């Protein structure tokens, strides 16, 4: 039985990856940092099947101790301060966790378990002000936020450990991926949770920032499979993971509201406080290499993703016993279970 060590197991991707690796027969160890209120909501269903280990990317000794104790075959580094907007307000903390934290973990791996395989959660935010479209593995980086800058550092640190010490280190350059488990501050979930709250009379409207930003949005459940596949190859390599389609925030709003028979223009307003000092206007990935080398393709379309998220947020409100005040529930939610 192989042992996988996942940092960020309490996050969106960590929860899906843990579930996927359990189905593949792995022993799964998830690293969690100490917080006043434990954030295990996303892994409630698998808590009895995974081992939780306490550590922090800010603390070198905890990383060394955990790798020594669990001797993982595969390390998935998903932990980060991952919210771009917050990185403008907390640039130093973001750099400490999202950038230097990666050096801490790579160094722990080099010293303690050099034979392990390492996955780094790189990001399409590294392309930032894009110099070509679509973006592929060779597209130059031009990050536009402290988060993006930190991810570029982390990406090159991963490449450097591969080249310097011959370690099996890979980066997945993942474009935006979402799910019903997406954090509420990210735009997709903010919209779908807002739609549900409006339908059930809990909210009047949704204030957003730049509606014209375009992203290549996929489903997180599909993307974690690519992470695992990268560590099963003969040679370590970096891969873009994306759908190859781009849509605007406005498109997302239109589909989300039409799912409940409403027009987004009646509910969405623009509030400059959600604008960023520097924006990433357009992301569109070319996943050809992942398709050819890993046999990976996304299975969930953009429209299916939006519906999946809206339906999940509606179901949550319905389960609370609330009554529909505006619009209508989709057919799938009309039957009582
Ligand atoms: P997420 O939901 O924000 O999860 C981040 C995880 O990191 C949480 O488990 C969090 O723990 C943990 N964490 C934060 N600071 C830590 C620290 N100092 N020590 C240990 N753990 C810490 O992010 P996600 O969407 O799952 O993304 C996973 C990774 O992929 C991140 O590195 C992100 O930057 C990257 N990425 C995401 C996307 C995307 O579209 N989702 C795209 C490209 C790359 P708490 O629960 O305690 O906060
Ligand atoms: O949902 P977002 O906050 O995601 P963003 O900035 O693209 O970052 C996400 O994807 C990256 C991969 O490219 C990850 F590396 C990163 O960790 C994270 O998961 O914003 C998406 C777009 C932006 O252009 C933003 O300006 O939506 C625009 N937007 C418009 N109104 C908004 C809002 N974003 C947020 N969060 N909130 C708004 O009200």
């Amino acid at each position: 039985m192989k042992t996988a060590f996942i940092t960020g197991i309490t996050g969106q991707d960590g929860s899906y990856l843990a579930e996927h690796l359990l189905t593949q027969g792995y022993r799964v160890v998830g690293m969690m940092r100490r917080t006043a209120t434990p954030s295990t909501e996303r892994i409630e269903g698998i808590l009895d099947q995974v081992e939780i280990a306490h550590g922090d990317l800010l603390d070198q000794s905890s990383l060394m101790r955990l790798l020594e104790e669990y001797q993982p075959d595969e390390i998935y580094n998903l932990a980060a301060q991952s919210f771009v907007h917050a990185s403008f307000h907390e640039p130093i903390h973001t750099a400490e966790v999202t950038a230097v934290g990666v050096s801490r973990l790579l160094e722990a791996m080099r010293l303690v378990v050099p034979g392990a395989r390492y996955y780094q959660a790189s990001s399409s935010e590294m392309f930032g002000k894009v110099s070509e479209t679509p973006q592929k593995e060779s597209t130059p980086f031009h990050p536009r936020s402290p988060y993006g800058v930190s991810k570029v550092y982390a990406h090159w640190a991963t490449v450097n450990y591969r080249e310097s010490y011959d370690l099996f280190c890979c980066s997945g350059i993942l474009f935006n991926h979402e799910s019903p488990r997406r954090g509420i501050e990210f735009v997709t979930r903010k919209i779908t949770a807002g739609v549900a709250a409006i339908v059930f009379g809990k909210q009047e409207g949704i204030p957003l920032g730049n509606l014209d930003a375009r992203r290549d949005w996929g489903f997180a459940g599909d993307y974690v499979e690519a992470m695992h596949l990268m560590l099963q190859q003969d040679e370590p390599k970096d891969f873009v993971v994306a759908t190859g389609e781009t849509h605007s925030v406005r498109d997302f709003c239109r589909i989300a509201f039409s799912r409940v028979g409403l027009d987004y223009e009646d509910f969405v307003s623009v509030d400059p406080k959600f604008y960023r000092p520097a924006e990433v206007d357009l992301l569109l990935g070319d996943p050809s290499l992942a398709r050819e080398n890993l046999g990976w393709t996304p299975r969930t379309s953009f429209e299916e993703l939006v519906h999946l998220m809206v339906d999940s947020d509606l179901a949550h409100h319905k389960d609370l016993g609330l009554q529909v005040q505006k619009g209508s529930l989709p057919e799938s939610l009309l039957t009582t279970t």
Side-chain angles (χ1 to χ4, degrees):
M1 187 191 258
K2 282 205 258 185
T3 299
F5 182 80
I6 304 175
T7 72
I9 193 167
T10 57
Q12 171 188 259
D13 290 8
S15 66
Y16 282 106
L17 178 65
E19 285 170 12
H20 179 61
L21 294 178
L22 287 171
T23 68
Q24 304 293 307
Y26 279 72
R27 172 194 188 205
V28 175
V29 180
M31 188 181 88
M32 243 183 93
R33 60 179 168 162
R34 193 262 162 198
T35 48
T37 310
S39 55
T40 49
E41 197 183 320
R42 295 183 178 101
I43 51 170
E44 257 351 296
I46 53 166
L47 264 180
D48 57 345
Q49 297 166 68
V50 298
E51 291 167 57
I52 296 297
H54 289 278
D56 198 308
L57 280 189
L58 296 174
D59 186 278
Q60 182 73 54
S61 67
S62 67
L63 303 175
M64 309 274 287
R65 177 176 51 77
L66 293 179
L67 295 190
E68 181 66 45
E69 182 176 343
Y70 291 101
Q71 296 287 318
D73 300 286
E74 296 174 9
I75 299 170
Y76 295 88
N77 183 34
L78 308 185
Q81 191 302 95
S82 77
F83 188 33
V84 173
H85 193 90
S87 77
F88 287 102
H89 303 297
E90 296 182 6
I92 314 298
H93 174 74
T94 302
E96 281 291 353
V97 179
T98 307
V100 185
V102 175
S103 289
R104 292 191 190 96
L105 187 55
L106 285 167
E107 194 58 6
M109 170 176 161
R110 180 178 80 82
L111 294 170
V112 181
V113 282
R117 294 181 170 210
Y118 178 90
Y119 172 85
Q120 171 57 26
S122 284
S123 165
S124 50
E125 272 293 304
M126 301 189 303
F127 298 125
K129 193 172 165 60
V130 299
S131 57
E132 61 177 353
T133 296
Q135 295 86 50
K136 47 185 185 287
E137 291 77 6
S138 57
T139 301
F141 300 143
H142 184 151
R144 298 272 282 170
S145 63
Y147 170 81
V149 171
S150 299
K151 283 289 182 186
V152 171
Y153 172 101
H155 183 83
W156 285 117
T158 306
V159 172
N160 182 247
Y161 270 64
R162 179 167 76 215
E163 293 177 352
S164 304
Y165 306 115
D166 204 21
L167 300 182
F168 196 107
C169 297
C170 305
S171 275
I173 307 175
L174 269 54
F175 283 63
N176 298 52
H177 45 280
E178 319 292 313
S179 75
R181 298 182 201 167
R182 186 57 141 152
I184 201 81
E185 70 272 58
F186 297 93
V187 75
T188 55
R189 187 75 200 294
K190 181 173 169 184
I191 295 166
T192 64
V195 166
I198 289 166
V199 167
F200 285 94
K202 292 286 187 197
Q203 197 172 310
E204 292 294 316
I206 311 177
L208 294 174
N210 180 8
L211 299 182
D212 297 316
R214 299 184 75 84
R215 291 289 183 274
D216 180 330
W217 276 297
F219 173 52
D222 294 343
Y223 283 36
V224 297
E225 294 179 19
M227 298 176 186
H228 176 241
L229 286 168
M230 279 178 223
L231 296 198
Q232 312 315 310
Q233 304 308 302
D234 292 337
E235 298 295 330
K237 223 191 227 183
D238 306 325
F239 291 94
V240 157
V241 177
T243 68
E245 274 184 35
T246 187
H247 299 273
S248 65
V249 172
R250 194 184 298 282
D251 294 337
F252 196 103
C253 290
R254 189 179 295 116
I255 297 175
F257 275 92
S258 72
R259 181 68 170 163
V260 295
L262 297 174
D263 182 344
Y264 84 95
E265 294 194 79
D266 295 332
F267 299 95
V268 169
S269 57
V270 170
D271 184 336
K273 94 169 173 226
F274 296 110
Y275 276 82
R276 294 166 183 185
E279 175 64 290
V280 172
D281 297 319
L282 161 77
L283 290 175
L284 171 61
D286 175 358
S288 305
L289 192 68
R291 189 175 54 240
E292 286 154 20
N293 288 19
L294 306 176
W296 180 88
T297 46
R299 285 192 296 267
T300 312
S301 73
F302 179 64
E303 193 173 51
E304 284 167 347
L305 172 67
V306 181
H307 289 177
L308 181 76
M309 293 177 68
V310 171
D311 291 3
S312 164
D313 280 315
L314 289 170
H316 177 65
H317 281 74
K318 192 172 166 230
D319 289 349
L320 293 174
L322 298 168
Q323 300 302 312
V324 172
Q325 306 288 328
K326 281 195 182 81
S328 56
L329 291 188
E331 201 61 42
S332 56
L333 289 180
L334 285 174
T335 44
T336 328
T337 48

